[in-house]
Amino acid sequence: MNDLYITTSIPYVNGAPHLGHALEFVHVDALARHRRHRGGQVRVQSGTDDHAIKNVSAAQAAGVPVAEFVGANGDQFAGLAAALGVHTDEFLRTSSDPRHAAAVSALWRACQATGDLYTKDYAGLYCPGCEQFYGPAELDDGSCVEHRTPVVEVTETNWFFRLSRYREQITDLITSGRLDITPLERRNEVLGFLAGDVHDLSVSRPAARTHGWGIPVPGDPEQVVYVWFDALTNYLTGLGYGSSSDSETGTGYRRWWAGGGERVHVIGKGIVRFHAVYWIAFLLSAGLPLPTRVLVHDYLTVDGAKIAKSGAQAADPATLVADYSADAVRWWLLRDPAPVATTDFTIERLVSAYNRDLANTLGNLAARALTLSRRDAAWRTAATTDVGDDLLRQSAGLPAAVDQALARYDFRTACEAIAALAEAGNRFIEDETPWHLAKTADAGDTHAAQRFEAVIDTILAACRVAADELVPFIPNGATRLAAQLEPHQTKPAPAFPRITQQETTT
């Protein structure tokens, strides 16, 4: 099994994290845990994008030094990951990590050595939210399609990257499958962009406009490196690229990026172009290996409103965890959102998904079977072997079903398969009525006693498989359920206690 290096995107830290950030954290954590659960080796990286101009503006508005501002907000992102039970091997902050400036400079010089960087005067339409220039045809009545805010006209002297040089090469990488973009809809969007006019990309900003915040362009201190060139390099920084003392590229880089494993970025749909076009071009220019997959999740809304880093519609994920548990939040983020198309979050949907699938279905099934299995009876005997074949086959097929769904980056289908096994178990127990079998066995019916044992064994086997497959999705709940199912356990507290909707959570 190949090594897996998997990353979240690194968000701007001009505000507190919102539910969309929680979704990405949990997606990456579940994919990483699943690979480890199957015996693979995984490295996970996340972090914060500190050098955005919007961070500077937000810090000025708050009256706080920008380094202090991004540090405090970055702590909230790290805290959210911990609250959700998300494990990262590296949480990299681009402004304070001493390795990052060296990595950015190394990538810049590598691109410069191939003749792909040059300076020119430029006037263009700029979206501060995206931190990028747009052509008129890419706007909606003069506004950025992503942020729905008017762009501003900016004139300045910048360094440019010869993006146009790599259009055909990137197109070939995608169409050949060497660079996989999932889902298909996002792949097609990227190919549509590449089929049009691809212009060279501005990759620096005047230091005066950023108030000196950012990494200076090597050899040109009057300019700072464009935030996206800076931010994307983080995927290499954490592996030692450009700053390792033991080699030019670092042992981590050699294994996780230049080795033969998988290199996977998990991102939101609004930043596909940066990862599937710009980042690929930078790496091609520098002669470095490419990511193997870009997995793209869609957006969430909250009570029908677009999520923002401020306002009630942000649905503070840390508060949700405190009110409803990490299990409940993780399960909703994996179980409900559609692979393609915006999904609306409500507290009612969170509570319903958890109670329906975990408390009422899987948890209840395990509790019923365990209660019956611990029933005192003088007739306890060996089980028959011809009971519950369909449920056993469904149990045996669950790991492959989960594997196949996650290979498609489809958490909803994977979670549905686990829930479906629990539903099948509940139908089985209702059909077999083991409580009636026990009463018949009490009256001396040996066949009823044997069938009772077989029914309970089959249900508990299904619950064990479900608990094992839940490990990547809700590790805490999976551990509680697995402990319950250990032989000779006294009656424990419910693995998935029911939750009720709080009056206020945001």
Side-chain angles (χ1 to χ4, degrees), residues 27 76 78 84 133 159-160 168 214 263 269 289 302 304 368 395:
H27 278 201
Q76 294 188 65
L84 289 164
F133 289 99
W159 284 86
F160 275 73
E168 292 184 5
R263 300 171 292 278
K269 70 176 183 178
V302 174
R368 295 168 79 186
S395 299

Side-chain angles (χ1 to χ4, degrees), residues 253-340:
Y253 175 89
R254 289 200 305 273
R255 175 179 180 181
W256 297 103
W257 195 263
E262 297 174 58
R263 300 171 292 278
V264 178
H265 300 315
V266 177
I267 62 169
K269 70 176 183 178
I271 55 174
V272 176
R273 187 185 304 178
F274 299 97
H275 286 78
V277 180
Y278 302 166
W279 177 226
I280 305 305
F282 299 156
L283 293 169
L284 288 171
S285 174
L288 301 180
L290 308 177
T292 55
R293 298 192 79 188
V294 178
L295 304 179
V296 187
H297 60 80
D298 219 297
Y299 287 157
L300 301 176
T301 56
V302 174
D303 293 323
K306 183 181 178 183
I307 295 180
K309 283 199 180 81
S310 61
Q313 75 273 27
D316 175 37
T319 301
L320 292 175
V321 170
D323 285 348
Y324 297 103
S325 79
D327 282 352
V329 176
R330 285 180 68 111
W331 185 248
W332 187 85
L333 290 170
L334 296 164
R335 174 69 167 90
D336 261 18
V340 179

Side-chain angles (χ1 to χ4, degrees), residues 81-117:
L84 289 164
V86 171
H87 168 78
T88 60
D89 299 288
E90 183 86 44
F91 192 88
L92 191 143
R93 307 185 192 214
T94 58
S95 66
S96 59
D97 192 298
R99 301 167 296 173
H100 187 60
V104 172
S105 294
L107 183 63
W108 182 279
R109 290 191 176 97
C111 294
Q112 193 170 36
T114 58
D116 284 333
L117 295 173

